[in-house]
Amino acid sequence: MDLHINSICVQGGYTPGNGEPRQVPIIQSTTFKYATSEDMGKLFDLEASGYFYSRLQNPTCDTVAAKICQLEGGSAAMLTSSGQAASFYSIFNIASCGDHVVSSSTIYGGTYNLFAVTMKRMGIEFTFVEPDCTEEELAAAFRPNTKAVFGETIANPALAVLDIEKFAKAAHDHGVPLIIDNTFATPVNCRPIEWGADIVIHSTTKYMDGHGSAVGGAIVDSGHFDWTKYPDKFPGLCTPDESYHGVVYTERFGLAGAYITKATAQLMRDFGSIQSPQNAYLLNLGLESLHVRMKRHCENGQAVAEYLQNHPKVAWVTYSGLPGDKYHALARKYLPNGGCGVVSFGVKGGRKAAETFMKHLKLAAIETHVADARTCCLHPASATHRQMNDEELAAAGVSPDLVRFSCGLEDSRDLIADIAQALDAVAVG
């Protein structure tokens, strides 16, 4: 039967049989036994499904990946050891040395560093465009060797809401897929595939886990992008893979399975960034309450944003739920049920004032974390984005005074009281 997303959060991905465990079992095993070498050989030739070594696949991880795939409306999915691994795999699965990728500039600082520094050293060049760029400006960023477009549904920490349809159209007009990081919105509040995205990734460490208990990532393929229309552009999917006896992924697994199978068979085999079965189990516990938690996160975010908007010591507030916000119209289109619980704002007095404010918080904790059941905050210019220069910070939408305040599940009245007393300690003027 077709389930609504709330029910998928609770029961998707796993249906136990008669007498089987009701909870997803933790298969804490590195290896799996087979009766004959021929049976195992079929696995290595990708001629049969199954498990032989947990560096590539594990039943617990695959079960939880199936739930996330169902939540996003995709055709296949995989878990990774972190959101960074998901970002890397999503690009490297279809791009290599000499290739080019177009990316929104307002992305998470760690992702920006991965793209602009580390992957650049691997020979993959990125062009960063403003999320608010015109269609003409976006089209001008493409090159003959462009292999993908990348963006975030809700940018971290700029909170820019991406016009997914605009970016999807540009990507498809140039014969490449759109990859969307949907970490902040989660599939509860936005399903990018329904708006034209081809691949969706997550840092499951954030709202999906929701309790700061397990680092992880996920990649979901929509199964919609036709790689076979561009065989010269995507040879890894459309020509024989000699490391697997000449298998052609699009021929063997079709559009629904080619991308994820290649990412598993090649990248996970060689890099081994697998999510542990224990972490996958904890992730599933978080997913079971995701639909309930996201509503509360958004309610708290809205209440805090409205309070900050009217405070005399606050210079500016960014939260798409505010009617006057720059991205309010896009949020109403893509995020009608709410965006996330993260509010970005600036304290009058700049960097020093922001640091003073954070020092006086009592309930909210200063952490290199976000999207947790417990409220936390961060000064990105000093932490996640400290590797950027002033020009890069500006392009990413991160000003020196920016405070990223991640509203947890506490009572909003207590969060506002904590913010109020911390702002009282800030001297302005």
Side-chain angles (χ1 to χ4, degrees):
M1 61 184 295
D2 292 330
L3 299 176
H4 292 87
I5 198 161
N6 295 351
S7 299
I8 297 172
C9 283
V10 180
Q11 296 208 30
Y14 176 63
T15 303
N18 188 41
E20 292 183 346
R22 188 64 191 88
Q23 183 54 273
V24 173
I26 303 173
I27 308 300
Q28 194 67 48
S29 180
T30 59
T31 53
F32 302 83
K33 177 182 179 295
Y34 287 89
T36 69
S37 295
E38 289 78 11
D39 289 338
M40 183 169 283
K42 292 178 181 178
L43 299 176
F44 278 90
D45 288 345
L46 303 180
E47 293 177 353
S49 61
Y51 303 91
F52 54 86
Y53 197 51
S54 280
R55 190 181 75 227
L56 282 84
Q57 286 179 283
N58 175 280
T60 305
C61 296
D62 282 358
T63 298
V64 181
K67 173 179 284 190
I68 296 174
C69 183
Q70 195 174 352
L71 285 169
E72 286 288 7
S75 63
M78 64 190 294
L79 298 187
T80 60
S81 59
S82 68
Q84 280 291 82
S87 296
F88 173 62
Y89 279 18
S90 70
I91 298 291
F92 201 63
N93 199 37
I94 51 177
S96 57
C97 183
D99 289 334
H100 172 256
V101 175
V102 176
S103 173
S104 170
S105 61
T106 56
I107 56 175
Y108 167 60
T111 308
Y112 179 91
N113 193 64
L114 169 68
F115 291 171
V117 180
T118 303
M119 295 189 76
K120 183 178 181 180
R121 290 171 56 199
M122 301 171 74
I124 302 174
E125 190 171 354
F126 289 76
T127 295
F128 296 94
V129 297
E130 291 287 335
D132 308 326
C133 65
T134 65
E135 292 182 5
E136 292 75 20
E137 290 170 334
L138 181 54
F142 287 81
R143 303 175 185 175
N145 60 338
T146 300
K147 294 298 181 69
V149 178
F150 185 95
E152 295 176 351
T153 309
I154 304 174
N156 175 16
L159 301 185
V161 177
L162 194 74
D163 189 341
I164 300 173
E165 285 191 316
K166 179 179 75 174
F167 275 73
K169 182 180 184 303
H172 299 158
D173 285 348
H174 291 84
V176 301
L178 173 62
I179 303 171
I180 291 290
D181 184 335
N182 198 33
T183 296
F184 268 20
T186 82
V188 171
N189 286 341
C190 182
R191 305 213 315 172
I193 290 171
E194 295 177 353
W195 297 101
D198 301 290
I199 297 154
V200 176
I201 68 170
H202 287 272
S203 169
T204 63
T205 316
K206 310 304 189 298
Y207 284 123
M208 283 189 164
D209 170 85
H211 299 85
S213 60
V215 174
I219 306 174
V220 180
D221 180 20
S222 69
H224 295 163
F225 191 83
D226 191 351
W227 312 100
T228 63
K229 288 177 63 176
Y230 314 98
D232 294 335
K233 187 171 289 188
F234 303 105
L237 287 161
C238 301
T239 59
D241 178 1
E242 297 307 326
S243 69
Y244 275 107
H245 308 288
V247 63
V248 178
Y249 293 100
T250 50
E251 292 180 1
R252 178 77 63 83
F253 303 101
L255 299 182
Y259 179 89
I260 292 295
T261 301
K262 178 180 179 295
T264 302
Q266 283 187 355
L267 303 187
M268 199 62 85
R269 174 197 66 191
D270 295 341
F271 292 102
S273 301
I274 194 168
Q275 189 168 148
S276 75
Q278 180 69 49
N279 280 11
Y281 173 85
L282 293 172
L283 168 58
N284 187 61
L285 293 181
L287 288 170
E288 289 177 353
S289 64
L290 180 64
H291 58 299
V292 179
R293 290 186 288 105
M294 285 307 296
K295 182 178 180 181
R296 182 58 173 267
H297 282 298
C298 292
E299 289 173 351
N300 282 354
Q302 185 71 28
V304 165
E306 290 175 358
Y307 172 78
L308 289 168
Q309 189 179 37
N310 298 310
H311 199 287
K313 291 185 179 180
V314 174
W316 55 270
V317 181
T318 297
Y319 189 75
S320 63
L322 296 174
D325 188 82
K326 180 180 181 179
Y327 297 100
H328 186 66
L330 282 175
R332 290 186 66 182
K333 175 180 178 178
Y334 295 115
L335 306 158
N337 298 320
C340 63
V342 181
V343 181
S344 290
F345 65 97
V347 181
K348 288 182 179 178
R351 181 189 291 261
K352 185 176 180 180
E355 292 173 346
T356 299
F357 164 77
M358 293 177 63
K359 288 178 182 177
H360 285 84
L361 289 169
K362 297 178 180 179
L363 189 62
I366 298 174
E367 301 177 10
T368 309
H369 193 39
V370 69
D372 194 298
R374 293 162 294 271
T375 295
C376 54
C377 69
L378 193 72
H379 184 237
S382 300
T384 54
H385 291 65
R386 71 178 298 124
Q387 77 277 7
M388 294 184 177
N389 58 38
D390 288 346
E391 183 178 322
E392 291 169 337
L393 283 171
V398 179
S399 57
D401 63 343
L402 187 153
V403 173
R404 185 186 71 185
F405 197 88
S406 176
C407 300
L409 303 179
E410 303 91 347
D411 192 302
S412 62
R413 293 169 295 186
D414 294 328
L415 298 182
I416 290 171
D418 190 29
I419 291 170
Q421 63 83 27
L423 284 171
D424 286 342
V426 177
V428 177

